Amino acid sequence: MAGLWFSHRVSRQGSVLLVTKKTDTESNTNYAQGGIAAAVSSDDSAQLHCEDTLRTGAGIAHPDVVKLVTEAGPGLVRELFSLGVPFNTYADGSGAEHFDLGQEGGHRRRRIVHARDFTGAEIEHGLLRAVRSNRNVTMLEEHFAVDLFLDENGRCCGVFALDKSTGTVELVRARVCLLATGGMGQAWLHTTNPRIATGDGVAMGYRSGARIADMEFVQFHPTSLYGHLLEDRAFLISEAVRGEGAILRTRDGHAFMPEYHQDADLAPRDVVARAIATELRLRGGEYVLLDATHLDPNRLRDRFPNISETCLRLGIDITRQPIPVVPAAHYVCGGIETNDRAETSVPGLFAAGECACSGLHGANRLASNSLLEALVMADRAAERAAGEVRGQESSGERREARMGSRESRVQSSASAADDARVAGLRRRLQSRMWQSAGIVRTDAGLAEARKELVALADEAESLGSSVAGMELRNLLAVSRLVVECALRRPESRGLHYNEDHPKPDDRCQRDTVISRSEFAPSPA
Ligand SMILES: Cc1cc2nc3c(=O)[nH]c(=O)nc-3n(C[C@H](O)[C@H](O)[C@H](O)COP(=O)(O)OP(=O)(O)OC[C@H]3O[C@@H](n4cnc5c(N)ncnc54)[C@H](O)[C@@H]3O)c2cc1C
């Protein structure tokens, strides 16, 4: 979403080259179900949305960024609607059209704008339509961005990208670059994220010297479908299902959430994920149940066609049977540190969306605020980038090549024999991260994780440069950043819960920032 919106916007200023490592639709955005949060109803305001976001952020969210994102949201969401994204609406008695708004945990108002439960896919299709018909935007699919290209002054002037069909690495030069590479859920054994979510942008940013912030704050979604994997990802049962009244129960039918939080099933996600982890530890078993059987079956099928049809295909009729669910790694709040114009600490480099840390989420993400962040911060980046390009032109500064020009450089080496080793190392990484840098952490577990990550990185260095090998090295680098940030936070706050320090500590109420000088980056 961040990359597409940026391209759509900045193309008014010049040519844009969009590099994506798979087909144009494969992304985290494609799987977002619940919706995008924006204060668009008459009983709501940006101020209330801002307060809810700050409260959830547990003292670390940046108030200026939260204010600007929540204020810019409604206008940009309406722009998406006018671009043809089919958000659900209804007409009131006078015939006026309003968004049909969902409710999610932590929001004091119904403010989740959605397109049934295909919100992300519908947004993506709408934006793809816009950029495909835009002659200023060229899309390079199946091109893997390997590393950023910096000039002798440390300014980002492009990216090295591997053409997967020829195995050739090309240098793509550009006047400005935006990293919008999404999440890193594939670092954990259980995740809702698709295969592309390997933290490449954060790893590239780190290797090029960008400051990285708040990587310890990882959101584990409480309810992913237990027992079925869809192409390496767990299928998400959106929080909006609980918003409609579904109840979490132990396998013997006990509704446990009221014992953990006053908002019961609509408590913040970290509270729900920890409650499930606790119930599983106390009572044994590998899953709990999400019960929607008391809800109107027609409304359920109509509001959640994706969830009800996918579950039915897998043998679960959600209108008659409770759904077995477990928590899974879902979203990383941290990333490449940016200011409120999406600029990173590397000149010429912008970052937006899940790979960035703008300060919106702080220690915890309010549901449906990530699509909003991707949209607003990509918009801010486009505005600033256009200004920067205009500035370069008016100062007569001439760069060697025009935006988006490409030169072939080196041939990548890949060996099929490496594949099995890559898969094995990736599995070990995922298990370690699940065990030691998951929902509940300890000092000893984190120290153990650091040791194993160093050892795994050593083993991975000898692998050739296949895409899978480079993704593995990126996953190792960003996992290390998660663990290092977690070790630097001897407290529990928001999404970071350390059993050895179970309470927040005022002295830790700040961002955790890491830069390249602190440990050697793994090579791409
Ligand atoms: C199952 C699921 C449900 C969700 N539901 C919601 C929701 O309801 N509301 C909400 O607000 N958020 C939701 N989220 C989170 C939200 O979808 C993401 O945070 C958001 O879509 C991220 O957008 P993005 O543009 O930053 O990244 P993405 O949409 O992930 O796009 C990243 C792009 O970068 C490409 N890429 C990555 N690495 C490279 C590389 N090395 N070279 C070239 N290209 C590369 C990828 O192929 C992809 O095209 C959900 C996430 C998941 C997984």
Side-chain angles (χ1 to χ4, degrees):
M1 178 168 195
L4 289 172
W5 186 263
F6 177 83
S7 306
H8 167 63
R9 271 292 208 247
V10 88
S11 62
R12 296 170 185 167
Q13 193 59 37
S15 58
V16 184
L17 190 69
L18 192 53
V19 177
T20 188
K21 69 178 171 180
K22 288 201 86 179
T23 54
D24 58 5
T25 51
E26 189 56 335
S27 64
N28 272 5
T29 301
N30 191 33
Y31 300 97
Q33 300 173 350
I36 177 163
V40 289
S41 75
S42 55
D43 71 339
D44 200 2
S45 67
Q47 171 72 21
L48 276 178
H49 189 184
C50 178
E51 286 168 16
D52 290 349
T53 304
L54 284 172
R55 193 181 49 253
T56 304
I60 307 243
H62 297 193
D64 51 338
V65 174
V66 177
K67 185 167 181 298
L68 91 81
V69 172
T70 50
E71 283 177 356
L76 289 173
V77 166
R78 288 193 184 98
E79 276 196 56
L80 281 177
F81 190 54
S82 4
L83 269 179
V85 178
F87 291 130
N88 286 53
T89 58
Y90 68 93
D92 66 15
S94 69
E97 194 177 28
H98 302 279
F99 289 118
D100 172 41
L101 298 173
Q103 174 78 60
E104 292 188 328
H107 290 276
R108 281 175 296 166
R109 292 286 187 275
R110 289 185 87 89
R111 62 167 75 99
I112 314 303
V113 179
H114 61 94
R116 298 190 298 165
D117 57 353
F118 295 101
T119 308
E122 293 289 8
I123 291 174
E124 198 174 83
H125 292 156
L127 290 177
L128 279 171
R129 264 196 314 271
V131 302
R132 279 184 192 134
S133 60
N134 184 330
R135 286 199 304 184
N136 267 357
V137 182
T138 307
M139 172 106 61
L140 273 186
E141 293 174 281
E142 303 290 345
H143 277 64
F144 182 87
V146 178
D147 256 321
L148 298 169
F149 171 57
L150 306 189
D151 70 11
E152 62 282 5
N153 301 317
R155 183 186 166 82
C156 180
C157 297
V159 66
F160 292 100
L162 168 71
D163 178 343
K164 288 160 69 179
S165 64
T166 63
T168 304
V169 176
E170 298 173 341
L171 169 58
V172 179
R173 289 177 187 268
R175 292 184 193 156
V176 291
C177 278
L178 171 86
L179 281 173
T181 50
M184 57 165 287
Q186 288 288 328
W188 287 269
L189 200 54
H190 303 288
T191 181
T192 61
N193 289 192
R195 267 199 86 89
I196 55 102
T198 50
D200 300 343
V202 177
M204 277 188 266
Y206 183 68
R207 285 192 293 267
S208 68
R211 283 159 58 93
I212 310 292
D214 293 347
M215 293 293 287
E216 68 275 40
F217 299 119
V218 181
Q219 185 161 70
F220 290 84
H221 197 290
T223 53
S224 74
L225 182 62
Y226 171 81
H228 302 274
L229 274 189
L230 306 176
E231 294 166 5
D232 276 357
R233 74 189 158 87
F235 181 66
L236 181 79
I237 309 295
S238 164
E239 182 163 338
V241 178
R242 277 175 285 132
E244 291 298 320
I247 295 170
L248 281 163
R249 299 183 189 280
T250 55
R251 280 187 298 162
D252 56 8
H254 175 60
F256 55 90
M257 275 315 300
E259 290 149 33
Y260 290 90
H261 197 277
Q262 60 197 17
D263 295 337
D265 292 278
L266 286 180
R269 285 184 184 170
D270 58 308
V271 176
V272 183
R274 269 201 305 282
I276 296 174
T278 307
E279 288 295 322
L280 294 178
R281 205 165 51 185
L282 292 176
R283 296 170 194 253
E286 294 185 340
Y287 62 88
V288 294
L289 298 171
L290 182 65
D291 184 4
T293 57
H294 53 292
L295 303 179
D296 175 2
N298 292 329
R299 164 94 183 140
L300 266 183
R301 280 190 286 259
D302 186 45
R303 172 73 177 84
F304 304 110
N306 180 17
I307 294 173
S308 49
E309 279 158 29
T310 304
C311 287
L312 199 57
R313 234 183 23 247
L314 298 169
I316 304 157
D317 177 351
I318 69 167
T319 66
R320 299 151 65 97
Q321 293 162 272
I323 312 165
V325 289
V326 278
H330 187 55
Y331 183 83
V332 180
C333 293
I336 305 161
E337 188 187 58
T338 69
N339 62 14
D340 62 5
R341 295 181 299 188
E343 292 168 298
T344 71
S345 56
V346 173
L349 180 67
F350 293 79
E354 194 166 340
C355 71
C357 181
S358 69
L360 175 74
H361 308 300
N364 199 348
R365 176 184 76 120
L366 189 61
S368 289
N369 262 1
S370 40
L371 288 176
L372 177 71
E373 183 196 34
L375 177 65
V376 177
M377 293 312 291
D379 199 65
R380 301 280 296 176
E383 197 183 317
R384 181 72 199 110
E388 198 162 316
V389 170
R390 273 195 303 271
Q392 286 174 16
E393 281 167 356
S394 64
S395 71
E397 193 181 333
R398 294 184 68 82
R399 298 203 170 270
E400 267 176 66
R402 286 196 55 75
M403 195 167 187
S405 73
R406 294 149 60 190
E407 299 159 28
S408 290
R409 284 289 164 104
V410 283
Q411 205 74 18
S412 90
S413 74
S415 131
D418 282 340
D419 290 356
R421 274 184 68 211
V422 170
L425 292 173
R426 187 163 163 145
R427 206 63 179 168
R428 275 169 61 196
L429 160 74
Q430 292 169 328
S431 302
R432 171 53 68 191
M433 289 298 281
W434 184 252
Q435 208 181 317
S436 304
I439 301 170
V440 176
R441 301 159 180 181
T442 61
D443 289 345
L446 289 168
E448 193 56 40
R450 174 196 270 161
K451 225 165 72 191
E452 185 155 359
L453 290 175
V454 171
L456 289 170
D458 281 349
E459 286 190 51
E461 250 181 67
S462 60
L463 294 167
S465 45
S466 64
V467 167
M470 289 190 276
E471 285 181 336
L472 170 68
R473 286 190 285 261
N474 286 338
L475 278 170
L476 284 163
V478 289
S479 298
R480 179 82 190 275
L481 287 164
V482 170
V483 168
E484 293 299 330
C485 286
L487 280 164
R488 289 171 197 204
R489 188 170 288 286
E491 62 157 358
S492 290
R493 179 184 301 274
L495 297 168
H496 170 69
Y497 186 79
N498 183 330
E499 236 171 26
D500 296 322
H501 315 275
K503 296 250 174 306
D505 179 341
D506 287 350
R507 290 169 300 179
C508 300
Q509 193 172 329
R510 54 182 154 63
D511 295 314
T512 316
V513 179
I514 294 196
S515 58
R516 191 179 45 172
S517 52
E518 302 184 40
F519 66 89
S522 323

